[in-house]
Amino acid sequence: MRYRNLGASGLLVPELSLGTGTFGGSGPLFGEWGTTGTEQARRLVDLSLDAGVTLFDSADVYSDGAAEEVLGQAVQGRRDRVLISTKVGLPMGEGPQDAGTSRSRLIRTTEDALRRLGTDRIDLLQLHAFDASTPVEETLSALDTLVRDGKVRYVGASNFSGWQLMKSLASADRLHLPRHVAHQVYYSLVGRDYEWELMPLGRDQGVGALVWSPLGWGRLTGRVRRGVPLPERSRLHRTSGFGPPVAEDLLFDVVDVLFELAAETGRTVPQVAINWLLRRPTVASVIIGARTEEQLVENLGAVGWELDAEQVARLDAVSRREAPYPYYPYRRQEGFARLDPPMFA
């Protein structure tokens, strides 16, 4: 396992981290992901630590806090060996104070997360969504309070648009408040929208990417193929509406090449898909998930080797799609292209 600086910070994170969406799973979404209890979670943490995975990511909305509780129990007695990342800001109820990142709610939800996790600090606290109803200065000031109180070490964002992230960074600089050093984003071979605006922003501003759903919401596991019915036990039957949309022609074209490269490298389809992501600019860590030990071991096999340049080029080509405005001129027109140094395929 290799370690990378998280954005422009001094925090070193493993190139793979473990997501805890399956921990304590309940409800129509998280219950489908998995129902990992404390003992099984402790075993997954054991395997992760043995492989050098030290970062564990959660969120307060994962099964109404149950994922944080199970994670806290699973790392009990070895807190100093792990980094805990969690997210706050999404609705946790129906009341007017049950959503957003106002000062009062942000401090309260962070203290609730600390209690569930059974720890005195969160290594990385991320805003799970941009709260347009709260002044960004108020949110940043609350984060500063949490950092000064020692309850939070680093701060980040998740699922922000480019202008939302840049507004937060500029305000933090102007007010001398903590900057977001991480942006947790969706990014995969069948979802490369991150590259158009957020990746260049991250490189320019020193914000590292933590990648969620690197297998395209379960579509790049090797179980979904052209002309083959979706497996009966696939969670895609019940959860596809929650995740990012993927065009079937893109999916099947990418999967065909993944199978070719899996045969060439002696690796599995998921391992090839994750390995491609680890070579992308600004990516600090790819968050993997697992319902079973076997799934975790397979995903951990995505590191310790590298696709060669020709194999990467094939994946770049098959997954490439037309850029949206205003980015496509930088691909199509020579004058624009000369102004835009190449960053991605």
Side-chain angles (χ1 to χ4, degrees):
M1 188 67 59
R2 292 177 295 188
Y3 300 85
R4 304 175 177 185
N5 285 88
L6 182 57
S9 79
L11 182 64
L12 290 174
V13 296
E15 54 190 344
L16 295 181
S17 47
L18 182 65
T20 62
T22 64
F23 287 14
S26 63
L29 175 58
F30 301 109
E32 292 292 341
W33 282 8
T35 55
T36 304
T38 299
E39 290 306 314
Q40 178 65 6
R42 187 173 289 116
R43 178 59 182 157
L44 295 178
V45 170
D46 289 342
L47 291 171
S48 298
L49 290 174
D50 288 345
V53 172
T54 55
L55 176 61
F56 300 87
D57 180 72
S58 195
D60 57 3
V61 295
Y62 291 175
S63 300
D64 292 324
E68 289 179 327
E69 292 179 352
V70 172
L71 174 60
Q73 295 162 7
V75 302
Q76 192 172 24
R78 44 190 172 176
R79 177 64 180 89
D80 291 339
R81 295 182 58 194
V82 305
L83 298 171
I84 291 179
S85 161
T86 197
K87 301 178 289 293
V88 296
L90 288 179
M92 290 286 286
E94 300 298 328
Q97 305 301 322
D98 291 336
T101 55
S102 66
R103 181 178 184 85
S104 60
R105 184 169 192 268
L106 186 53
I107 291 176
R108 174 168 54 85
T109 54
T110 301
E111 290 174 343
D112 288 344
L114 287 167
R115 174 181 49 78
R116 287 190 293 265
L117 289 162
T119 184
D120 62 349
R121 74 221 183 256
I122 293 168
D123 298 290
L124 174 64
L125 180 69
Q126 298 154 101
L127 307 179
H128 212 157
F130 184 77
D131 178 7
S133 66
T134 298
V136 68
E137 295 84 359
E138 178 179 336
T139 297
L140 292 171
S141 175
L143 290 172
D144 182 56
T145 297
L146 291 167
V147 170
R148 290 178 181 273
D149 288 348
K151 296 176 181 178
V152 171
R153 297 292 192 256
Y154 294 89
V155 301
S158 180
N159 302 318
F160 276 34
S161 68
W163 76 265
Q164 292 166 347
L165 182 56
M166 193 63 238
K167 180 175 183 177
S168 299
L169 294 169
S171 297
D173 289 344
R174 175 170 53 86
L175 299 171
H176 306 288
L177 296 173
R179 295 179 109 244
H180 297 310
V181 299
H183 191 195
Q184 191 167 143
V185 298
Y186 169 59
Y187 188 25
S188 77
L189 274 164
V190 291
R192 294 176 60 178
D193 292 345
Y194 168 70
E195 295 176 352
W196 306 129
E197 180 166 300
L198 294 171
M199 180 186 282
L201 191 163
R203 186 174 71 169
D204 180 72
Q205 293 293 313
V207 180
L210 299 177
V211 177
W212 62 265
S213 203
L215 300 180
W217 206 257
R219 294 176 173 91
L220 301 179
T221 60
R223 301 176 66 199
V224 181
R225 300 201 65 177
R226 190 190 312 272
V228 178
L230 196 64
E232 286 187 14
R233 296 185 60 188
S234 172
R235 60 183 172 88
L236 280 172
H237 288 293
R238 296 170 295 278
T239 67
S240 60
F242 292 99
V246 177
E248 283 196 349
D249 61 337
L250 169 63
L251 172 62
F252 294 141
D253 288 348
V254 168
V255 168
D256 287 345
V257 176
L258 284 172
F259 269 98
E260 293 173 6
L261 297 182
E264 292 175 17
T265 60
R267 304 288 175 171
T268 67
V269 165
Q271 289 170 348
V272 174
I274 294 170
N275 192 272
W276 178 85
L277 279 169
L278 290 170
R279 302 171 61 102
R280 311 307 287 174
T282 74
V283 171
S285 186
V286 173
I287 302 170
I288 58 175
R291 283 178 291 179
T292 66
E293 295 179 23
E294 292 74 21
Q295 287 178 334
L296 177 57
V297 170
E298 179 180 13
N299 288 337
L300 290 171
V303 301
W305 61 281
E306 289 189 357
L307 294 161
D308 65 34
E310 186 273 337
Q311 292 167 333
V312 170
R314 284 156 61 188
L315 286 172
D316 290 345
V318 73
S319 61
R320 184 184 296 120
R321 288 298 182 267
E322 182 70 273
Y325 175 82
Y327 308 108
Y328 72 80
Y330 291 84
R331 286 281 186 85
R332 289 184 180 182
Q333 300 175 31
E334 181 180 354
F336 280 87
R338 290 177 59 191
L339 298 174
D340 186 46
M343 174 184 291
F344 43 77

